[in-house]
Amino acid sequence: MKKILSLLTILAMLASCTPTPENVHQSNALPPIYPDYCDVTIPQNIAPLNFLLRADCEAIEVKAGDITINARGNEAVFDIDDWKALLQQSADKSIEVTVSALINGQWTAYKPFTWQVVSDKVDPYLTYRLIEPDYEIWNNVQIQQRCVENFDVNAIGHYEKLENRCMNCHTFANQNPQLSMMYVRGPGGGAILNKNGMLSKLNIPGSVYFGFSPTGRYITFSTQKIIPAFHSDPSKRLEVYDSESNVCVADMQEHRIFTSPLLSDSLKFETFPTFSPDGKYIYYCAADSVSLPRDIKQLQYSLVRIAFDEKTGTIGTQVDTLYHQRSVCHPRVSPDGKFILFTVADYGTFPIWHPEADLQMLNLQTGKIDTLGIVNSAKSDTYHSWSSNSRWFVFASKRDDGLYGKPYFCYIDKQGKAHKPFCLPQAHPLFYDNNLKSFNAPELGKGKVPFDVDDVAKAMKKESVNFK
Amino acid sequence: MKNLYYKYYPTAAIILSAIIIWCFFQFWYPYHFFFQEQNQIFLWSWDYITTYTDKSGGLARFVGDFLTQFYYYLFAGATILTVCLLIIACLLYKALINFKVSKPVALLLALFVMALAAICHFSTSYRLSGTISIMGWLILFWVVSIIRKKVLKLSALVCCLLPCYLLFGSPAIAKIQMPDFVIEKDFAVDCEYHFGHYDKVIQLVESQDRWTDQMVFFYNLAQAQRGQLPDHLLRFTPTQLGTFYQIGPETPMLIIRNMNELYWALGDMTFTERAAMMTNVFSHNNRNVRMMQRLAECNYVSGDSLAAEKYLRILDKTFVYARWADNVRQNGKTIYQQKMQMVNRHDTISITDNAHLLMMQLLDANPNNTIALDYILCSTLVLKDIASFKRDYDRYCIDTNNPRLKTLYQEALCIWLAGTNAPQQEWEKYIKRGDVFQRFQQYNLQRGNANFKDTYWYYFDKIKAPEI
């Protein structure tokens, strides 16, 4: 008992020894915090924005609303209960945050910043693939689902259970966790379809990028021959292009595949198809074919759409071009049908390594393009997914180091204005510094998927359902 | 005296065994330790340390990886391992004595386990955590042995089984094998090359009766660093330049790592980074300290300071390399000045990692890149592709007015000139070495004579070129 008391006394003394600000020097600069959470807009249901100060400091004090953190070192980690209470009482208000740091024996108070808390919630689950940024060779790939309201993570695809296979392209229908699909590649692999937790393995030949129709009866997918190529200029690194690509539709009820000459034109590359939320259109990207890899810089994809009738399963006869100023990838329509968000790059179809790759948003009612200046960075910003309420989207950004993609969340207010995005918070502020995997293809979902890794492993052993 | 002998002979036997083990690993097997150290990374960061709790055996892996990082230092590997084995032997011996096992039997068993654990370390894939795990279970065994009451003994055992499993996992024994002195030599040349001890690499390889591809690869690389690759290319046949490899999913990690060294020496930062990332993919926990250094330096050389900083920050959290990281930050410009001048800023795209193409790109950008020049010329000569050799020699030596008058190249040019019945002025244009010309005339009188074993003509006539 004596020993326990001594230990508690020592711990109490240590805690009380945490320095607190005195003789504070005021700085006009914003604190160099990482991730950059200065003046960001956050949803009411987000996990604590733990951060660190990029400075060699002995102690830190952070004041955010009623919360005060005094800690040794440079990390600010919030108690999750205090954080929840703070956000609860700050809905549709802003929280002022002040950061002070003890550096070389001198306390400095940085310029305060704000967190604008909005009551529009972001979908609580984020699904992503963790993979080395090179993508060519993988080992220990996982598809994880993270609850963004806290720090809970569970794997839905795990290398240990799936013979270290490549897994990719996990997508939900309308952000609904009860209807989703992911691919497990390699011999005996296939598309694992989740329907209310019942998993089946589908053999949809050549399918790469896909999206569900609103009812879930159809998926539209692209088939492509993907070629990796290398830039001799080290700053450009990897390029990937399709030597051929087409768009098709699969009827998930009748297990048949169909297309249209307009979606599989041999003189064009068609890719990244997605249904509009009302199911009346398939949006996709199309480019005139060029000689590759020689003329890669002339490879320009336009944003186009073609009508689709979900009742009869028929594809329209006319292709409308919506945007052709730069090369377009990954179009995604907001669930309310007002906006279409897409990536633009100087050329090609693989914006992940294009530092100039940015997100743009087309207002489908006014035809106005928003270049999303507040959202984009000097590095690649791409692969986005909408929240079911159309107020939030998540995207993968390489803004921090140019190499490793991280999920960033961006708020679109009722006026359609984008706010400064913020990075997915982590329990340990050092997580991203130590992490050597990219958060690839982040997808938002309204809930936790009703299956786990073992279910996927079992489904992999099933006979495939073949498509005609 | 007899009593003293009886009292201390077990201790003496265990200590003597420990000394033998230490001597063996220190003097005959030291490079295995360095290889293991180079193929992992341990970060002194709470975020990283908590990852050890993901699976059972976390404490064993934590302690094992923590200690392995110090294998970098001379004598540390053998000493750490010996101390661990010594503890194992003592714990087992003491526990057996407590269980009333006779001294000789206890000693024999202790020595047997000690030897078995030492033998496990002959394998490069056996990690120190395996030995720590054995140690952990023996601690439990010893604790149980010192409890006198049987009921308490049993209770302690039952209570401690699960915690012990969680902390130390299942003790792993490697497949029993003899020490592999060939791999040890491979690791030796790799290690000495890494430290820039080119003379030692050369001396190590030249002193061998038998040589492996790995040894010859580093021998050539060391000679190339000294500008003497063509002078020694034919010293070992079949020779190994590494330029005929192409990295794919089936390529062994060691080859990818070697390719990384080759690309770095040639000055191709795109492929240096790619090979480094791929080596990481196949390393313990998908990361290794040598590639972390390489990624930092190749990004520094490319001018991508954000990416370089990512890796330097990781190295900051190591005990061994933090100073190295700091040095790169402060003196990188001086350290990498030469490499930075060689960076290829001309952007072209290729779909292959064919080294010949890469070297052409490097030489087109920087004709003064002597290492690339020697490698491209020597690669074609190894293949006996005289036409390509002549084309490249013209392009990078004649057209740039920078003739490289190495004996090897002069000899190869003689073959081309003689084979094409070149006129006198052509001979005068290319053959600047009278001694080579005279010897060529002599060789033509006695083609294939072993007296000319040191010449390219003999190689051309008598030695089989590698199949690629």
Side-chain angles (χ1 to χ4, degrees), chain A residues 12 14-15 17 32 108-109 128-129 136 152 154 175 183 191 256 273 290 319 324 391 467:
Chain A
L14 278 173
C17 286
T108 301
Y128 47 82
R129 177 172 69 155
E136 280 181 277
D152 293 347
N154 65 296
Q175 291 77 26
Y183 286 109
R256 69 184 179 95
V290 294
V319 175
H324 59 86
R391 292 272 82 85
F467 278 64

mmCIF file of all heavy atoms in Angstrom, chain A residues 12 14-15 17 32 108-109 128-129 136 152 154 175 183 191 256 273 290 319 324 391 467:
data_model
loop_
_atom_site.group_PDB
_atom_site.id
_atom_site.type_symbol
_atom_site.label_atom_id
_atom_site.label_comp_id
_atom_site.label_asym_id
_atom_site.label_seq_id
_atom_site.Cartn_x
_atom_site.Cartn_y
_atom_site.Cartn_z
ATOM 1 N N ALA A 12 1.585 12.408 -9.074
ATOM 2 C CA ALA A 12 0.936 13.699 -8.818
ATOM 3 C C ALA A 12 1.945 14.833 -8.911
ATOM 4 O O ALA A 12 1.665 15.902 -9.474
ATOM 5 C CB ALA A 12 0.292 13.681 -7.439
ATOM 6 N N LEU A 14 4.702 14.802 -10.623
ATOM 7 C CA LEU A 14 5.081 14.970 -12.030
ATOM 8 C C LEU A 14 4.038 15.798 -12.759
ATOM 9 O O LEU A 14 4.351 16.690 -13.548
ATOM 10 C CB LEU A 14 5.239 13.603 -12.708
ATOM 11 C CG LEU A 14 6.562 12.895 -12.489
ATOM 12 C CD1 LEU A 14 6.507 11.491 -13.079
ATOM 13 C CD2 LEU A 14 7.705 13.689 -13.142
ATOM 14 N N ALA A 15 2.749 15.452 -12.497
ATOM 15 C CA ALA A 15 1.666 16.173 -13.173
ATOM 16 C C ALA A 15 1.680 17.638 -12.778
ATOM 17 O O ALA A 15 1.493 18.529 -13.608
ATOM 18 C CB ALA A 15 0.331 15.537 -12.813
ATOM 19 N N CYS A 17 4.102 19.285 -11.971
ATOM 20 C CA CYS A 17 5.299 19.957 -12.458
ATOM 21 C C CYS A 17 5.162 20.452 -13.892
ATOM 22 O O CYS A 17 6.064 21.081 -14.412
ATOM 23 C CB CYS A 17 6.501 19.028 -12.368
ATOM 24 S SG CYS A 17 7.065 18.831 -10.681
ATOM 25 N N PRO A 32 2.558 26.772 -35.608
ATOM 26 C CA PRO A 32 2.889 25.770 -36.643
ATOM 27 C C PRO A 32 2.409 24.383 -36.228
ATOM 28 O O PRO A 32 3.211 23.511 -35.880
ATOM 29 C CB PRO A 32 4.417 25.855 -36.723
ATOM 30 C CG PRO A 32 4.843 26.320 -35.367
ATOM 31 C CD PRO A 32 3.736 27.153 -34.801
ATOM 32 N N THR A 108 5.570 31.427 -25.434
ATOM 33 C CA THR A 108 5.068 32.221 -26.561
ATOM 34 C C THR A 108 3.621 31.858 -26.805
ATOM 35 O O THR A 108 3.288 30.672 -26.900
ATOM 36 C CB THR A 108 5.889 31.923 -27.840
ATOM 37 O OG1 THR A 108 7.253 32.233 -27.573
ATOM 38 C CG2 THR A 108 5.404 32.736 -29.028
ATOM 39 N N ALA A 109 2.776 32.882 -26.872
ATOM 40 C CA ALA A 109 1.362 32.635 -27.209
ATOM 41 C C ALA A 109 1.175 32.993 -28.675
ATOM 42 O O ALA A 109 1.457 34.116 -29.101
ATOM 43 C CB ALA A 109 0.463 33.486 -26.334
ATOM 44 N N TYR A 128 -11.225 2.939 -46.309
ATOM 45 C CA TYR A 128 -10.073 3.278 -47.146
ATOM 46 C C TYR A 128 -9.157 2.073 -47.228
ATOM 47 O O TYR A 128 -9.254 1.135 -46.428
ATOM 48 C CB TYR A 128 -9.291 4.474 -46.563
ATOM 49 C CG TYR A 128 -9.022 4.334 -45.100
ATOM 50 C CD1 TYR A 128 -7.959 3.574 -44.634
ATOM 51 C CD2 TYR A 128 -9.873 4.919 -44.156
ATOM 52 C CE1 TYR A 128 -7.733 3.413 -43.281
ATOM 53 C CE2 TYR A 128 -9.663 4.748 -42.794
ATOM 54 C CZ TYR A 128 -8.591 3.999 -42.365
ATOM 55 O OH TYR A 128 -8.370 3.800 -41.031
ATOM 56 N N ARG A 129 -8.283 2.117 -48.206
ATOM 57 C CA ARG A 129 -7.282 1.054 -48.331
ATOM 58 C C ARG A 129 -5.946 1.618 -47.868
ATOM 59 O O ARG A 129 -5.588 2.756 -48.232
ATOM 60 C CB ARG A 129 -7.182 0.613 -49.792
ATOM 61 C CG ARG A 129 -6.127 -0.430 -50.045
ATOM 62 C CD ARG A 129 -6.210 -0.968 -51.449
ATOM 63 N NE ARG A 129 -5.830 0.011 -52.467
ATOM 64 C CZ ARG A 129 -5.357 -0.303 -53.668
ATOM 65 N NH1 ARG A 129 -5.204 -1.572 -53.995
ATOM 66 N NH2 ARG A 129 -5.052 0.624 -54.539
ATOM 67 N N GLU A 136 2.507 -0.412 -57.216
ATOM 68 C CA GLU A 136 2.855 -1.486 -58.150
ATOM 69 C C GLU A 136 2.992 -2.813 -57.438
ATOM 70 O O GLU A 136 2.585 -3.847 -57.941
ATOM 71 C CB GLU A 136 4.209 -1.178 -58.779
ATOM 72 C CG GLU A 136 4.174 -0.197 -59.894
ATOM 73 C CD GLU A 136 5.584 -0.061 -60.392
ATOM 74 O OE1 GLU A 136 6.354 0.717 -59.792
ATOM 75 O OE2 GLU A 136 5.919 -0.737 -61.347
ATOM 76 N N ASP A 152 -11.961 4.379 -33.380
ATOM 77 C CA ASP A 152 -12.130 2.934 -33.594
ATOM 78 C C ASP A 152 -11.882 2.574 -35.055
ATOM 79 O O ASP A 152 -12.421 3.221 -35.963
ATOM 80 C CB ASP A 152 -13.548 2.494 -33.212
ATOM 81 C CG ASP A 152 -13.788 2.633 -31.719
ATOM 82 O OD1 ASP A 152 -12.799 2.833 -30.982
ATOM 83 O OD2 ASP A 152 -14.955 2.563 -31.296
ATOM 84 N N ASN A 154 -11.633 -0.888 -37.705
ATOM 85 C CA ASN A 154 -11.703 -2.340 -37.908
ATOM 86 C C ASN A 154 -11.380 -2.651 -39.361
ATOM 87 O O ASN A 154 -11.655 -1.844 -40.257
ATOM 88 C CB ASN A 154 -13.068 -2.905 -37.504
ATOM 89 C CG ASN A 154 -14.166 -2.387 -38.383
ATOM 90 O OD1 ASN A 154 -14.424 -1.187 -38.392
ATOM 91 N ND2 ASN A 154 -14.804 -3.266 -39.124
ATOM 92 N N GLN A 175 -23.905 5.520 -50.033
ATOM 93 C CA GLN A 175 -23.275 5.565 -48.702
ATOM 94 C C GLN A 175 -23.940 4.582 -47.728
ATOM 95 O O GLN A 175 -23.836 4.714 -46.516
ATOM 96 C CB GLN A 175 -23.301 6.984 -48.101
ATOM 97 C CG GLN A 175 -22.439 8.005 -48.773
ATOM 98 C CD GLN A 175 -23.021 8.532 -50.072
ATOM 99 O OE1 GLN A 175 -24.226 8.524 -50.283
ATOM 100 N NE2 GLN A 175 -22.151 8.998 -50.954
ATOM 101 N N TYR A 183 -13.217 -5.402 -54.341
ATOM 102 C CA TYR A 183 -12.546 -6.414 -55.140
ATOM 103 C C TYR A 183 -11.419 -7.068 -54.349
ATOM 104 O O TYR A 183 -10.677 -6.400 -53.636
ATOM 105 C CB TYR A 183 -11.933 -5.799 -56.394
ATOM 106 C CG TYR A 183 -12.961 -5.455 -57.436
ATOM 107 C CD1 TYR A 183 -13.276 -4.128 -57.697
ATOM 108 C CD2 TYR A 183 -13.615 -6.447 -58.143
ATOM 109 C CE1 TYR A 183 -14.226 -3.803 -58.643
ATOM 110 C CE2 TYR A 183 -14.561 -6.132 -59.091
ATOM 111 C CZ TYR A 183 -14.862 -4.812 -59.342
ATOM 112 O OH TYR A 183 -15.808 -4.497 -60.273
ATOM 113 N N ALA A 191 -15.322 -9.933 -57.216
ATOM 114 C CA ALA A 191 -15.967 -8.816 -56.528
ATOM 115 C C ALA A 191 -16.789 -9.391 -55.382
ATOM 116 O O ALA A 191 -17.583 -10.305 -55.583
ATOM 117 C CB ALA A 191 -16.862 -8.074 -57.500
ATOM 118 N N ARG A 256 -26.161 -10.063 -66.018
ATOM 119 C CA ARG A 256 -25.749 -9.865 -67.413
ATOM 120 C C ARG A 256 -25.068 -8.508 -67.531
ATOM 121 O O ARG A 256 -25.319 -7.590 -66.735
ATOM 122 C CB ARG A 256 -26.930 -9.982 -68.370
ATOM 123 C CG ARG A 256 -27.922 -8.863 -68.252
ATOM 124 C CD ARG A 256 -29.133 -9.034 -69.131
ATOM 125 N NE ARG A 256 -30.033 -7.905 -68.922
ATOM 126 C CZ ARG A 256 -30.045 -6.817 -69.670
ATOM 127 N NH1 ARG A 256 -29.264 -6.716 -70.713
ATOM 128 N NH2 ARG A 256 -30.860 -5.807 -69.390
ATOM 129 N N PRO A 273 -16.920 5.584 -64.537
ATOM 130 C CA PRO A 273 -18.359 5.819 -64.616
ATOM 131 C C PRO A 273 -19.008 5.891 -63.239
ATOM 132 O O PRO A 273 -18.549 5.237 -62.290
ATOM 133 C CB PRO A 273 -18.855 4.584 -65.369
ATOM 134 C CG PRO A 273 -17.897 3.511 -64.986
ATOM 135 C CD PRO A 273 -16.566 4.178 -64.771
ATOM 136 N N VAL A 290 -4.913 8.433 -78.142
ATOM 137 C CA VAL A 290 -3.664 8.982 -78.690
ATOM 138 C C VAL A 290 -2.610 7.883 -78.620
ATOM 139 O O VAL A 290 -2.826 6.843 -77.983
ATOM 140 C CB VAL A 290 -3.172 10.231 -77.902
ATOM 141 C CG1 VAL A 290 -4.130 11.395 -78.051
ATOM 142 C CG2 VAL A 290 -2.973 9.895 -76.428
ATOM 143 N N VAL A 319 -24.255 11.540 -76.103
ATOM 144 C CA VAL A 319 -23.274 11.840 -75.051
ATOM 145 C C VAL A 319 -23.142 13.361 -74.941
ATOM 146 O O VAL A 319 -22.880 14.035 -75.939
ATOM 147 C CB VAL A 319 -21.901 11.211 -75.381
ATOM 148 C CG1 VAL A 319 -20.872 11.621 -74.344
ATOM 149 C CG2 VAL A 319 -22.013 9.697 -75.450
ATOM 150 N N HIS A 324 -14.383 20.208 -70.454
ATOM 151 C CA HIS A 324 -13.275 19.649 -71.238
ATOM 152 C C HIS A 324 -12.007 20.502 -71.166
ATOM 153 O O HIS A 324 -11.069 20.297 -71.908
ATOM 154 C CB HIS A 324 -13.697 19.487 -72.712
ATOM 155 C CG HIS A 324 -14.115 20.781 -73.347
ATOM 156 N ND1 HIS A 324 -13.226 21.641 -73.924
ATOM 157 C CD2 HIS A 324 -15.327 21.355 -73.457
ATOM 158 C CE1 HIS A 324 -13.876 22.696 -74.360
ATOM 159 N NE2 HIS A 324 -15.148 22.555 -74.096
ATOM 160 N N ARG A 391 -23.306 17.652 -47.564
ATOM 161 C CA ARG A 391 -22.675 18.813 -46.925
ATOM 162 C C ARG A 391 -21.166 18.602 -46.751
ATOM 163 O O ARG A 391 -20.440 19.552 -46.506
ATOM 164 C CB ARG A 391 -23.308 19.071 -45.542
ATOM 165 C CG ARG A 391 -24.740 19.544 -45.552
ATOM 166 C CD ARG A 391 -24.814 21.077 -45.665
ATOM 167 N NE ARG A 391 -24.672 21.521 -47.029
ATOM 168 C CZ ARG A 391 -25.660 21.605 -47.895
ATOM 169 N NH1 ARG A 391 -26.883 21.303 -47.543
ATOM 170 N NH2 ARG A 391 -25.447 22.025 -49.131
ATOM 171 N N PHE A 467 -21.166 -13.536 -64.748
ATOM 172 C CA PHE A 467 -21.998 -12.602 -65.511
ATOM 173 C C PHE A 467 -21.876 -12.922 -66.993
ATOM 174 O O PHE A 467 -20.789 -13.217 -67.483
ATOM 175 C CB PHE A 467 -21.557 -11.157 -65.242
ATOM 176 C CG PHE A 467 -22.135 -10.594 -63.980
ATOM 177 C CD1 PHE A 467 -21.806 -11.136 -62.758
ATOM 178 C CD2 PHE A 467 -23.046 -9.541 -64.015
ATOM 179 C CE1 PHE A 467 -22.349 -10.640 -61.585
ATOM 180 C CE2 PHE A 467 -23.592 -9.039 -62.852
ATOM 181 C CZ PHE A 467 -23.244 -9.577 -61.633
#
